[in-house]
Amino acid sequence: GASFGTGMERVIVAMQDPDMGMKMRNQRLLITVIPHAMTGNDVIEWLIQKYNITEEEARHLGGLLVQYGYIYPLREPRSLLLRSDDSPYRFQTPYFWTSSRWPATELDYAIYLAKKNIRKQGELVDYEKENYSILHKRINHTWDFVVMQAREQLRASKQRRKADRIVLECQEQAYWLINKPCVNIRRALGRNRVKSSICLESFMKYSEQYLHHDPIMSGCLPSNPWISDDTSHWTINTDMLRVERWSFSFMELLNDSMGRREFMIYLEKEFSAENLCFWVACEDLRHGESSKIILKVEEVYKNFLAPGAARWVNIDSKTMERTLEGIKRPHRFIMDDAQMHIYFLMKKDSYPRYLKSELYKNMLAKAIVPQETKKSVFPFMRRQRHSSPSPAMVTQATEDDGKAKGAGPTGTSSTTNSQI
Amino acid sequence: TCEYNYVLSCISCEPRVLSLQNILSLILFLLPASALTTGIYMIFSTKPEMATQEVQPNETLTNLKAESDTLKTKLEDERAKLHDVELHQVAEKVDGLGQFIMKTRRTLKGHGNKVLCMDWCKDKRRIVSSSQDGKVIVWDAFTTNKEHAVTMPCTWVMACAYAPSGCAVACGGLDNKCSVYPLSLDKNENLAAKKKSVAMHTNYLSACSFTNSDMQILTSSGDGTCALWDVESGQLLQSFHGHAADVLCLDLAPSETGNTFVSGGCDKKANVWDMRSGQCIQSFETHESDINSVRYYPSGDAFASGSDDATCRLYDLRADREVAIYSKESIIFGASSVDFSLSGRLLFGGYNDYTINVWDVLKGTRVSILFGHENRVSTLRLSPDGTAFCSGSWDHTLRIWA
């Protein structure tokens, strides 16, 4: 397959064509004049003209060029967005093109970080500081070499003109923002692995536990709808197998909407429902629209984390501190640590107690073991296959408060579908 | 990005000299557990102010490659130390499977050309399918009624997915995009009018999947990358670089914490990714040809793959190795798609020789072979409640098996 960069590179080359390419000009960055730069607006206009596309598409394409590092912003270099105003941008030198670069090595990255650290104390940002100390431990034996290289490169760059130096620094920074190598700690020869015998035993156990829940292996009651044409299996809500499955793992309980509801009722009795509410709110943040992130983070803070909040959750001080700090720059994963803490709290404490509770035991007692469908007296006569309401319609109906809908699937349907 | 290629080169304008000692120390300490060093390139320079030690002329690339091969073997030995038993040995005590009967229970006819992809709706009976002629159809597979149809502006719609809410579908292919179509209730409304362009790759879209909500889509592409997108804005949230060739398939992990997914590609590698950081956290390279399909074992601790090398394989994530190969001398055509039964005991594989082979995951034996399709099986998925699976084929039809 073609390298992902070739398409983008073609665009970039076209943009720099001397006749049909973009009009470049000098851009001011504070008091320094940067040559051969363009504005975000220029980029979008050019793309619209050249490819005969809409503004929306031009913004999208231009945004990709910035994301992948072919164009970089001179102001706010960490914000890899294409702004449709007079923000200045510059082409990344082909030397630094993501596609043409050898995968960046840890050594190169270490040298880059060391240079930054030497040049100005405290200039490294959080994740860079973390990476710096990880690398310092990992390649400690060559650290002299790293520092030496960093010093040499700094010395050589001091001999350049200021404008060139700024350009080179911008290019390098833009490159590393995108290409910083994986510095997750995985010690080379001593990686934590689990013995095969233990892993494989778990497959035996899992298959055995779920054997009777596997319709293809064990059949299902009252019958498999695809075989009998009878959809009762899909409409029965509280059969034994479903309720039993909640006891297999905490994840099974939470994944089942009914299980989650039941668990919430139990937690309310225990006055710890805020934990589950918090977890649900965090899931909503993680998987929701990007545009609602800031709003949702504020809501979560107000409802669950602020001192005196109505549903204050009990997180350890370290996690709370980290979370509150992170809220200043909200993103969709900002609640991950806190969410995980609460998840494990529920899993270790509330969940086992729920399984022993009267509430759950009653559920089990009420649960049905459906009767197997009697085989038809006339086996050659097929049952009529009924339609079911489209999921889109079900959602809309609840939204419109049951207003009569026009078009919709015809045919009768049995009792409400047991939706997720 | 990939830690598996070690390339030492000039990064800035100043060339650099590395001594042999430096290089060997780097190999020793930077080589991660699952690394397969593919090559070492060096650029030498003799700039006086940069030199610490001159590289000796007899320290050639060949010597260094030999050195790295030795280390590779050492690593494999370390991994093998923990491999104390084979899967089929452990499975000896498990009961064998009795006679196995599965039949076609529904045949869905309506596509005018090769069916390339399908996905189930969470309601356990609806499906979406896409084909070579650009058509995307939403069916109630139970009644075999077609409920919606869209014609894409491109051919070869290789990827389609149903949204978790059941209110939208996503699809794409040779247009290099992934578009989302909200499903209208008005049968007469033109679905294409409400189409939303979400993902944009620089080569064909090979697979797509919604994450836990309708708001995010994960895609894989012939451009060698995977990407995570925000549906509402079309914004790229994260991109995943590490495959050396087209990425053909992906599957999201059923994990309780964090988000990971696995992808398979033409580079014969299966990579496991962290969705938050974009990093490749594990990599497996034992197949001998393109990996067409990857699917997680229901517990999330392992995944299966299907490949053009006519085998399916099982990889355990905690043991960090391949633990089973599902193959037979009589099976010589590639496996295009795989999925597990609900308990994980069975693995269904759709093959390019028009058949579906059913494997006993634990014992490694083939339990059954299903005939019916009249051309390649291109796509196969278990229904959400495990009561049936659906297969799509180049013979223009889809079949429901139970």
Side-chain angles (χ1 to χ4, degrees):
Chain A
S3 132
F4 77 94
T6 10
M8 274 192 246
E9 278 162 38
R10 254 186 275 124
V11 175
I12 291 292
V13 168
M15 282 174 106
Q16 293 182 75
D17 184 88
D19 301 316
M20 303 298 286
M22 294 201 50
K23 293 273 178 294
M24 311 297 281
R25 48 189 119 156
N26 292 343
Q27 291 286 342
R28 270 216 134 70
L29 191 69
L30 299 177
I31 53 168
T32 313
V33 172
I34 309 289
H36 305 304
M38 59 246 178
T39 67
N41 228 0
D42 290 340
V43 173
I44 292 171
E45 288 296 325
W46 187 88
L47 287 170
I48 292 174
Q49 288 287 338
K50 169 82 179 178
Y51 294 104
N52 196 20
I53 53 180
T54 61
E55 185 176 334
E56 189 194 341
E57 199 166 346
R59 276 197 216 214
H60 196 124
L61 179 56
L64 284 176
L65 293 173
V66 177
Q67 291 276 2
Y68 281 98
Y70 290 96
I71 298 177
Y72 60 91
L74 290 170
R75 258 186 250 143
E76 288 179 70
R78 280 181 204 291
S79 170
L80 295 176
L81 296 172
L82 182 69
R83 289 173 220 278
S84 53
D85 53 23
D86 61 359
S87 301
Y89 290 83
R90 227 171 165 277
F91 290 111
Q92 181 60 287
T93 176
Y95 190 82
F96 277 110
W97 281 0
T98 306
S99 63
S100 68
R101 295 293 311 144
W102 299 118
T105 65
E106 293 183 329
L107 185 68
D108 298 327
Y109 190 48
I111 292 171
Y112 167 71
L113 290 176
K115 266 201 300 188
K116 244 189 149 185
N117 203 32
I118 293 169
R119 190 166 54 214
K120 194 169 161 195
Q121 280 291 354
E123 189 165 301
L124 294 177
V125 290
D126 287 315
Y127 74 89
E128 285 178 335
K129 281 196 201 122
E130 209 181 305
N131 290 343
Y132 186 79
S133 59
I134 290 171
L135 282 166
H136 190 91
K137 279 190 214 124
R138 283 239 299 197
I139 55 175
N140 192 267
H141 52 286
T142 56
W143 205 253
D144 291 338
F145 176 72
V146 168
V147 172
M148 188 210 75
Q149 284 290 338
R151 287 213 176 99
E152 279 299 329
Q153 289 182 16
L154 281 172
R155 191 179 65 77
S157 81
K158 277 202 176 72
Q159 291 168 357
R160 287 203 187 88
R161 282 180 352 166
K162 184 164 186 194
D164 288 345
R165 187 164 75 235
I166 290 182
V167 162
L168 205 67
E169 278 168 14
C170 284
Q171 285 173 343
E172 203 179 17
Q173 180 171 230
Y175 175 78
W176 285 112
L177 267 172
I178 289 154
N179 291 288
K180 53 182 181 292
C182 172
V183 283
N184 286 330
I185 293 175
R186 290 198 289 133
R187 265 158 280 127
L189 294 165
R191 187 186 176 177
N192 280 341
R193 276 179 220 96
V194 182
K195 267 204 303 194
S196 284
S197 50
I198 297 174
C199 298
L200 303 177
E201 275 297 330
S202 74
F203 295 145
M204 310 296 136
K205 288 209 180 70
Y206 191 93
S207 297
E208 203 180 352
Q209 187 178 40
Y210 282 85
L211 176 64
H212 295 294
H213 296 255
D214 185 339
I216 292 175
M217 292 283 294
S218 315
C220 59
L221 296 172
S223 64
N224 187 322
W226 300 102
I227 300 174
S228 69
D229 291 342
D230 171 23
T231 58
S232 307
H233 177 72
W234 287 334
T235 55
I236 290 170
N237 268 335
T238 49
D239 62 297
M240 178 64 87
L241 283 178
R242 179 181 186 173
V243 179
E244 187 185 59
R245 220 164 137 171
W246 302 345
S247 68
F248 287 0
S249 74
F250 189 37
M251 210 51 208
E252 288 280 3
L253 178 67
L254 288 185
N255 277 343
D256 184 332
S257 60
M258 185 185 289
R260 208 189 277 194
R261 268 202 310 275
E262 288 293 308
F263 189 53
M264 181 69 90
I265 293 171
Y266 173 73
L267 290 179
E268 272 159 9
K269 288 207 165 98
E270 299 255 305
F271 303 106
S272 55
E274 68 275 359
N275 287 337
L276 187 55
C277 294
F278 176 69
W279 185 85
V280 170
C282 291
E283 283 289 285
D284 187 43
L285 166 67
R286 253 196 339 176
H287 300 291
E289 300 101 310
S290 290
S291 58
K292 300 212 173 115
I293 287 176
I294 293 178
L295 187 73
K296 285 183 182 173
V297 170
E298 274 172 21
E299 287 287 311
V300 169
Y301 174 74
K302 203 175 65 178
N303 292 330
F304 300 100
L305 300 173
R311 297 170 130 178
W312 190 80
V313 284
N314 194 0
I315 311 172
D316 68 286
S317 51
K318 214 169 166 201
T319 310
M320 180 66 97
E321 204 182 296
R322 237 198 336 262
T323 307
L324 293 179
E325 187 59 39
I327 285 178
K328 296 180 187 160
R329 275 192 227 99
H331 58 84
R332 76 175 59 238
F333 299 114
I334 202 64
M335 296 292 171
D336 273 12
D337 286 345
Q339 184 185 2
M340 214 181 296
H341 180 95
I342 293 296
Y343 178 86
F344 281 114
L345 197 70
M346 290 192 289
K347 180 178 175 177
K348 288 205 179 80
D349 184 36
S350 313
Y351 172 62
R353 283 191 290 112
Y354 167 67
L355 293 180
K356 296 197 196 101
S357 70
E358 286 305 310
L359 206 65
Y360 181 65
K361 288 193 182 134
N362 285 340
M363 253 342 246
L364 276 175
K366 276 191 311 191
I368 310 163
V369 178
Q371 285 257 339
E372 187 172 358
T373 306
K374 288 204 175 64
K375 295 230 170 6
S376 172
V377 176
F378 301 100
F380 51 85
M381 276 187 66
R382 209 184 65 185
R383 276 198 179 83
Q384 202 189 2
R385 294 169 183 170
H386 298 298
S387 299
S388 73
S390 159
M393 181 161 146
V394 171
T395 315
Q396 195 115 28
T398 37
E399 278 171 18
D400 296 345
D401 293 317
K403 251 188 283 187
K405 296 310 294 178
T410 52
T412 58
S413 94
S414 19
T415 49
T416 42
N417 237 1
S418 71
Q419 298 278 354
I420 10 116
Chain B
T1 46
C2 207
E3 339 174 24
Y4 313 115
N5 297 318
Y6 280 85
V7 180
L8 306 173
S9 71
C10 289
I11 172 70
S12 70
C13 298
E14 284 83 25
R16 166 185 339 123
V17 172
L18 293 165
S19 73
L20 181 61
Q21 194 163 12
N22 290 140
I23 294 159
L24 285 179
S25 333
L26 276 165
I27 295 168
L28 206 58
F29 288 93
L30 292 179
L31 205 65
S34 58
L36 300 168
T37 311
T38 56
I40 301 173
Y41 302 89
M42 292 177 295
I43 299 170
F44 300 104
S45 151
T46 53
K47 260 222 162 147
E49 69 260 28
M50 308 306 294
T52 46
Q53 294 164 32
E54 289 284 339
V55 180
Q56 301 309 314
N58 62 348
E59 281 154 353
T60 59
L61 194 61
T62 333
N63 291 350
L64 289 162
K65 187 116 202 319
E67 190 73 43
S68 94
D69 283 341
T70 319
L71 281 164
K72 231 170 54 172
T73 323
K74 196 170 177 192
L75 273 171
E76 286 306 314
D77 289 344
E78 279 298 314
R79 287 165 100 183
K81 274 184 196 161
L82 285 172
H83 188 56
D84 49 348
V85 69
E86 295 292 329
L87 179 54
H88 65 83
Q89 289 174 295
V90 180
E92 258 158 39
K93 57 188 174 198
V94 177
D95 288 339
L97 295 171
Q99 214 207 353
F100 197 79
I101 302 171
M102 278 188 95
K103 291 187 192 160
T104 300
R105 305 292 174 173
R106 303 286 190 278
T107 305
L108 305 178
K109 295 185 182 158
H111 277 291
N113 213 313
K114 306 180 173 74
V115 176
L116 301 175
C117 187
M118 62 79 49
D119 191 19
W120 287 90
C121 175
K122 281 218 161 83
D123 76 349
K124 307 159 201 170
R125 50 188 286 170
R126 281 174 173 78
I127 65 171
V128 60
S129 60
S130 64
S131 67
Q132 189 198 343
D133 61 1
K135 281 246 168 25
V136 176
I137 301 177
V138 174
W139 318 69
D140 176 352
F142 186 73
T143 58
T144 72
N145 291 338
K146 298 187 212 20
E147 294 194 341
H148 304 273
V150 169
T151 306
M152 294 277 286
C154 69
T155 55
W156 288 89
V157 187
M158 291 171 252
C160 63
Y162 225 118
S165 68
C167 298
V169 294
C171 50
L174 283 188
D175 58 351
N176 300 1
K177 294 191 213 165
C178 184
S179 309
V180 175
Y181 292 83
L183 293 175
S184 164
L185 297 166
D186 181 356
K187 288 272 159 71
N188 297 324
E189 187 175 352
N190 182 13
L191 282 186
K194 293 232 176 95
K195 163 178 159 177
K196 198 175 180 12
S197 236
V198 175
M200 245 201 255
H201 280 277
T202 55
N203 209 324
Y204 65 89
L205 189 83
S206 54
C208 64
S209 172
F210 286 87
T211 61
N212 285 27
S213 77
D214 285 17
M215 304 303 160
Q216 285 164 27
I217 289 186
L218 190 60
T219 58
S220 66
S221 167
D223 67 19
T225 70
C226 299
L228 182 66
W229 309 83
D230 176 62
V231 172
E232 189 190 37
S233 64
Q235 191 193 7
L236 172 72
L237 298 174
Q238 186 62 263
S239 64
F240 306 90
H241 300 259
H243 278 286
D246 305 23
V247 187
L248 298 178
C249 51
L250 59 85
D251 192 33
L252 279 152
S255 157
E256 63 177 350
T257 58
N259 295 315
T260 59
F261 73 96
V262 61
S263 65
C266 291
D267 57 357
K268 312 174 201 169
K269 286 206 277 194
N271 289 338
V272 180
W273 307 87
D274 176 73
M275 271 166 69
R276 180 176 166 169
S277 66
Q279 306 291 357
C280 173
I281 51 183
Q282 265 175 296
S283 185
F284 303 89
E285 192 175 349
T286 61
H287 271 293
E288 290 161 22
S289 185
D290 299 2
I291 297 179
N292 299 313
S293 172
V294 285
R295 195 75 70 212
Y296 272 93
Y297 183 80
S299 72
D301 294 325
F303 68 90
S305 59
S307 162
D308 275 351
D309 67 8
T311 70
C312 298
R313 296 179 196 230
L314 186 68
Y315 298 91
D316 188 302
L317 295 169
R318 294 157 306 169
D320 188 35
R321 59 179 296 126
E322 171 196 288
V323 293
I325 305 181
Y326 306 100
S327 67
K328 242 175 127 65
E329 270 184 30
S330 56
I331 299 176
I332 51 181
F333 282 81
S336 64
S337 55
V338 297
D339 205 352
F340 289 96
S341 73
L342 193 139
S343 64
R345 181 66 193 267
L346 301 171
L347 181 70
F348 304 104
Y351 288 74
N352 293 338
D353 63 358
Y354 317 172
T355 66
I356 295 166
N357 288 293
V358 186
W359 301 92
D360 181 330
V361 170
L362 303 179
K363 292 199 184 276
T365 53
R366 186 187 60 192
V367 170
S368 183
I369 179 167
L370 305 175
F371 298 98
H373 277 297
E374 291 163 14
N375 206 321
R376 279 198 202 195
V377 178
S378 54
T379 180
L380 189 156
R381 293 209 72 154
L382 190 77
S383 76
D385 63 352
T387 49
F389 71 84
C390 177
S391 61
S393 162
W394 282 19
D395 69 6
H396 309 187
T397 70
L398 294 119
R399 286 172 181 245
I400 309 288
W401 305 80

